Amino acid sequence: MTVSFIGSGNVATHLAMFFQTHGHEIKQVYNRTADHGRALADTFSAAYISTLEELDTERIDLLLIAISDDNIPEVIREIPEKTKAIVVHTAGAAPLSLLSRFEHYGVIYPPQSIHKHIPIDLANVPFAVEGSSENVQTTLLSMMQKIAPRSFACTTEQRLALHVSSVFANNFTNALYRMSYDILHDVGLPFELVLPLIRETAEKVQNRLPKQVQTGPAVRNDLKTINTHLQFLSNTEELAKIYQQLTQYINKRRPKT
Amino acid sequence: MTVSFIGSGNVATHLAMFFQTHGHEIKQVYNRTADHGRALADTFSAAYISTLEELDTERIDLLLIAISDDNIPEVIREIPEKTKAIVVHTAGAAPLSLLSRFEHYGVIYPPQSIHKHIPIDLANVPFAVEGSSENVQTTLLSMMQKIAPRSFACTTEQRLALHVSSVFANNFTNALYRMSYDILHDVGLPFELVLPLIRETAEKVQNRLPKQVQTGPAVRNDLKTINTHLQFLSNTEELAKIYQQLTQYINKRRPKT
């Protein structure tokens, strides 16, 4: 397929690389900031365009919008309405209907945390794919499954659920790692001490349900330890509150013996 | 060393196996519930004892208490006061001073989540070691470092911090995985979809600081997405609250641009 990109950030960079590696042609890159956009375009021997009117609407099969969610509506207004391309955004929480002024449109959402400078194997990622019609859905899904076999068709509600659950599994988890880091740092201990535990916790749920492997004072209802911990956290109110709330969550769900 | 165990649960089982594999002799196993205690004793060709008076106080070098934190004080009262053994508990949050009626005592705390039936390589675990005197500390630390090289000497406060930070890094993280599971399950999607993300998140902090790899709507201050997510969670108040609190935590710490 012939693909043009809108955006040149983390997601655009990795997706463009991924698409080119798998035989698709990157034709144009649009970005508001010229040097970023040009740098990405050059990487793929694509053309940099500084206005969306320059989009080659007759010759591209796919127009990929990979920019921050908040900027999507504004950019969409500037894309020529008449195009043979399927216009696609890559956001987890933006509605499909944002794109309804085009004839063919869809969503390709990778539930992954993507950084420009950290390598990632997108072939393992289960892309959530939506299409404006059965035809578009089939086209997008078959294209994606060829390069990322775990990709699947979904509804807008399912995509949103996947996005929210990714926030819990990734963003919030990373925030807990940060709290763990701070607690250790404050007593002069290195974060390295909990790294095996972090890895082990993530590995355990790869083939077991989270509720089956829950450990700790909350699931044991070990009130003495919980109080000792809260006492320890008493001068960082924010962490004490998070401790209480998550302990309550686990405790309420502990298996009754 | 000659070691007797008090307890036959998850920690006792794995520790006894670990100690025996590394050349220590398991001599006695005490447990309130006879069949559990006897099963563990048999595994190591050790003697099962049904009262703590039967402890071979003259011939054991180490007495390891590996039972739930709440039961430690009661058990300690029943151990003969005069013993040549170093008496050690394995709890993260119980004070060292609980053991002060003995001549030599200490703590060996593994910051790990240990299940009876899940294999674990204790050689990688950084055991936190405390001793009642410099001598005892040196003895315990040198014994532990031979079998688990990352073991280190620490204070009671540091051990408690390590325990609390393990709760954040492991127990609470696993609770987030459970929330993620439930969110997906409610819209008919499999938990498998976020497993690569979970693994990736845990791997990223193995050689980067959590604050360097934070992603998501909270750190981008993407209020539109955050509101869409809260809207989505509006009929599960508990998750909405946790979402808000963790989002606030991340947002407050985002790098100012």
Side-chain angles (χ1 to χ4, degrees):
Chain A
M1 280 194 179
T2 309
V3 190
S4 287
F5 273 85
I6 296 178
S8 60
N10 297 332
V11 176
T13 302
H14 279 279
L15 276 185
M17 197 131 35
F18 187 56
F19 275 74
Q20 200 192 44
T21 308
H22 288 85
H24 299 292
E25 183 197 348
I26 315 301
K27 194 158 175 78
Q28 300 172 306
V29 174
Y30 165 84
N31 196 56
R32 267 198 306 213
T33 319
D35 49 350
H36 281 182
R38 196 160 292 155
L40 190 66
D42 288 352
T43 312
F44 300 103
S45 311
Y48 167 72
I49 55 174
S50 60
T51 67
L52 288 164
E53 285 135 42
E54 295 169 68
L55 279 169
D56 192 350
T57 50
E58 280 312 301
R59 262 178 297 180
I60 53 175
D61 305 308
L62 192 64
L63 176 59
L64 262 167
I65 306 171
I67 57 178
S68 75
D69 300 18
D70 281 357
N71 295 327
I72 297 176
E74 183 190 339
V75 156
I76 285 173
R77 279 193 293 273
E78 294 174 32
I79 300 171
E81 192 175 317
K82 248 183 87 73
T83 171
K84 81 179 249 297
I86 303 177
V87 185
V88 161
H89 77 65
T90 55
L96 173 67
S97 59
L98 278 184
L99 299 161
S100 59
R101 59 187 288 257
F102 305 106
E103 196 181 345
H104 309 296
Y105 54 98
V107 181
I108 296 174
Y109 162 61
Q112 260 299 348
S113 142
I114 296 177
H115 299 257
K116 220 172 206 162
H117 303 295
I118 302 182
I120 179 175
D121 185 6
L122 287 174
N124 273 327
V125 172
F127 285 82
V129 177
E130 274 184 82
S132 56
S133 67
E134 227 179 283
N135 251 344
V136 171
Q137 175 115 335
T138 307
T139 306
L140 291 177
L141 192 59
S142 97
M143 175 197 68
M144 288 312 297
Q145 283 182 336
K146 269 186 204 120
I147 62 182
R150 299 181 59 197
S151 300
F152 65 102
C154 72
T155 65
T156 296
E157 193 206 12
Q158 286 178 320
R159 173 165 52 86
L160 183 55
L162 182 56
H163 196 234
V164 175
S165 91
S166 299
V167 167
F168 280 86
N170 166 0
N171 307 153
F172 290 168
T173 292
N174 190 71
L176 291 181
Y177 297 162
R178 180 169 185 169
M179 297 173 209
S180 179
Y181 175 97
D182 285 344
I183 293 164
L184 289 170
H185 189 258
D186 282 353
V187 296
L189 289 178
F191 185 50
E192 280 68 34
L193 292 175
V194 293
L195 289 180
L197 187 59
I198 283 175
R199 181 174 268 157
E200 173 116 355
T201 306
E203 286 307 313
K204 251 178 208 156
V205 295
Q206 298 292 323
N207 43 32
R208 290 177 188 89
L209 296 186
K211 68 174 175 183
Q212 293 172 329
V213 293
Q214 186 66 58
T215 55
V219 76
R220 288 195 308 267
N221 201 30
D222 183 348
L223 301 177
K224 211 161 139 185
T225 301
I226 292 169
N227 283 329
T228 307
H229 286 179
L230 284 172
Q231 184 61 34
F232 179 84
L233 292 170
S234 57
N235 42 17
T236 46
E237 203 193 333
E238 196 180 13
L239 289 196
K241 268 192 187 161
I242 291 169
Y243 185 101
Q244 273 172 316
Q245 202 165 35
L246 293 174
T247 290
Q248 208 170 54
Y249 173 89
I250 297 169
N251 194 282
K252 267 171 68 176
R253 284 161 183 78
R254 72 199 156 87
K256 299 290 170 279
T257 48
Chain B
M1 279 195 180
T2 309
V3 190
S4 287
F5 272 85
I6 297 178
S8 59
N10 297 333
V11 176
T13 302
H14 278 281
L15 276 185
M17 197 130 38
F18 187 56
F19 274 76
Q20 200 192 46
T21 307
H22 289 86
H24 298 292
E25 183 197 348
I26 315 301
K27 195 160 175 76
Q28 301 171 306
V29 174
Y30 164 84
N31 197 56
R32 267 198 305 214
T33 319
D35 50 349
H36 280 183
R38 197 160 290 156
L40 190 66
D42 288 352
T43 312
F44 300 105
S45 312
Y48 167 71
I49 55 175
S50 60
T51 68
L52 288 165
E53 285 136 42
E54 295 169 66
L55 279 170
D56 192 350
T57 52
E58 280 311 302
R59 262 178 296 182
I60 53 174
D61 304 309
L62 192 63
L63 175 58
L64 262 167
I65 306 171
I67 57 178
S68 76
D69 299 19
D70 281 356
N71 295 326
I72 298 176
E74 183 191 339
V75 156
I76 284 173
R77 278 194 295 272
E78 293 173 33
I79 300 171
E81 191 175 319
K82 249 183 86 73
T83 171
K84 82 177 249 295
I86 304 177
V87 185
V88 161
H89 77 65
T90 55
L96 174 65
S97 58
L98 279 185
L99 298 161
S100 60
R101 59 188 286 258
F102 305 105
E103 196 180 345
H104 309 298
Y105 54 98
V107 181
I108 296 173
Y109 162 60
Q112 261 299 345
S113 142
I114 296 177
H115 300 256
K116 220 172 206 163
H117 304 295
I118 302 182
I120 180 175
D121 185 6
L122 288 173
N124 273 326
V125 171
F127 285 82
V129 176
E130 273 185 81
S132 55
S133 67
E134 227 179 284
N135 251 344
V136 170
Q137 175 116 336
T138 308
T139 306
L140 290 177
L141 191 60
S142 97
M143 174 197 69
M144 288 312 298
Q145 283 182 337
K146 269 186 204 121
I147 62 182
R150 300 180 60 197
S151 299
F152 67 100
C154 73
T155 65
T156 296
E157 193 205 13
Q158 286 178 320
R159 172 166 51 87
L160 184 55
L162 183 55
H163 196 234
V164 175
S165 91
S166 299
V167 167
F168 279 86
N170 166 1
N171 308 152
F172 291 169
T173 292
N174 190 72
L176 291 181
Y177 297 162
R178 180 170 184 170
M179 296 172 210
S180 178
Y181 176 97
D182 285 344
I183 293 164
L184 290 171
H185 189 258
D186 282 353
V187 296
L189 289 178
F191 185 50
E192 281 67 35
L193 291 175
V194 292
L195 289 180
L197 188 58
I198 283 176
R199 181 175 267 157
E200 172 115 355
T201 307
E203 285 309 312
K204 252 178 207 155
V205 294
Q206 298 293 324
N207 43 33
R208 292 178 187 87
L209 296 186
K211 69 174 174 182
Q212 293 172 328
V213 293
Q214 186 66 59
T215 56
V219 77
R220 288 196 308 267
N221 201 31
D222 183 347
L223 301 177
K224 211 162 139 185
T225 300
I226 291 169
N227 283 329
T228 307
H229 286 180
L230 285 172
Q231 184 62 34
F232 179 84
L233 293 170
S234 58
N235 41 18
T236 46
E237 203 193 334
E238 195 179 14
L239 289 195
K241 268 191 188 162
I242 291 169
Y243 185 101
Q244 272 173 318
Q245 201 165 35
L246 293 174
T247 291
Q248 208 172 54
Y249 173 90
I250 297 169
N251 195 282
K252 267 171 70 177
R253 284 161 183 78
R254 72 199 156 88
K256 300 290 169 277
T257 47

